[in-house]
Amino acid sequence: MNKEGILEGLLFVVGDEGLTLNQIEEILEINNEEAKELLLALKSRYESSNHGIKISFLADTFKLTTKKEHKEYYQKLIENKETNMLSQAALETLAIVAYNEPITVQKIDEIRGINSREMVRRLTAKGFLKEVGKSDSLGRPTLYATTRDFLDYFGLSSKEELPRFESKKENLNEEKDLYESKYKEN
């Protein structure tokens, strides 16, 4: 079993969340020294100029990140009109944020029914979303809101121009006669 390859896959899967040393030890069922050796081996492999990513230690976690020396190319990708098209997932995420801002990634996930962390990161990088504070809930997650770039992209002067949705609410307080039925005896 190639534990270095497994670690690489784990770091890719968790994305921006990263992994702590303890998580690596638990998941791979290895001791602290083995975990450090795996990280160092993977890190040294990525240091070669043949790779566009590296392992960074940020906020007590290990993460796959891009190399700074390639920044100009990443910027071109973000600014390129052809690659700047918004996917269905991006549109869903933007709509959820626009109608519920400020909102946490966890709440977006709950509404979409899928992990949205990477999509929020991309939309933030494109300038459509921004961090606007921290929630008072447990863990103090980041709150996100739409930006002026979002409004510009969709040709809106303000959020008030967003389409309004009227939900059909049934009168839940209306009491029904338990003896009345659609089917009557003959």
Side-chain angles (χ1 to χ4, degrees), residues 55-186:
I55 295 180
S56 299
F57 184 70
L58 304 165
D60 291 329
T61 61
F62 295 93
K63 304 174 184 187
L64 289 178
T65 59
T66 55
K67 292 184 175 179
K68 290 180 182 174
E69 57 265 30
H70 303 151
K71 180 182 177 181
E72 69 180 277
Y73 300 101
Y74 307 137
Q75 195 66 34
K76 285 180 185 179
L77 175 68
I78 291 170
E79 293 171 355
N80 183 339
K81 296 287 184 200
E82 292 176 16
T83 59
N84 214 5
M85 301 287 292
L86 294 176
S87 66
Q88 183 66 34
L91 292 171
E92 286 175 9
T93 304
L94 283 172
I96 291 168
V97 175
Y99 284 100
N100 298 284
E101 63 187 1
I103 188 171
T104 64
V105 173
Q106 293 84 356
K107 186 65 177 171
I108 297 168
D109 292 349
E110 188 179 307
I111 294 169
R112 285 190 69 219
I114 188 168
N115 186 322
S116 303
R117 184 167 305 284
E118 181 63 21
M119 185 54 61
V120 169
R121 188 190 64 73
R122 287 180 187 171
L123 291 168
T124 302
K126 286 185 179 200
F128 291 133
L129 297 180
K130 65 181 176 182
E131 295 181 10
V132 293
K134 296 284 187 181
S135 170
D136 291 333
S137 64
L138 186 64
R140 300 204 24 92
T142 302
L143 291 167
Y144 291 90
T146 55
T147 64
R148 290 184 192 268
D149 288 346
F150 162 80
L151 294 172
D152 290 346
Y153 185 87
F154 290 100
L156 304 169
S157 59
S158 71
K159 268 189 47 183
E160 282 70 40
E161 290 184 4
L162 286 170
R164 293 285 166 217
F165 297 101
E166 292 191 31
S167 61
K168 295 180 180 179
K169 294 182 180 178
E170 294 181 9
N171 187 354
L172 299 177
N173 295 331
E174 182 180 303
E175 290 186 33
K176 304 237 179 206
D177 185 354
L178 294 177
Y179 299 104
E180 187 177 318
S181 173
K182 291 182 181 180
Y183 306 102
K184 299 194 180 212
E185 288 185 34
N186 289 337

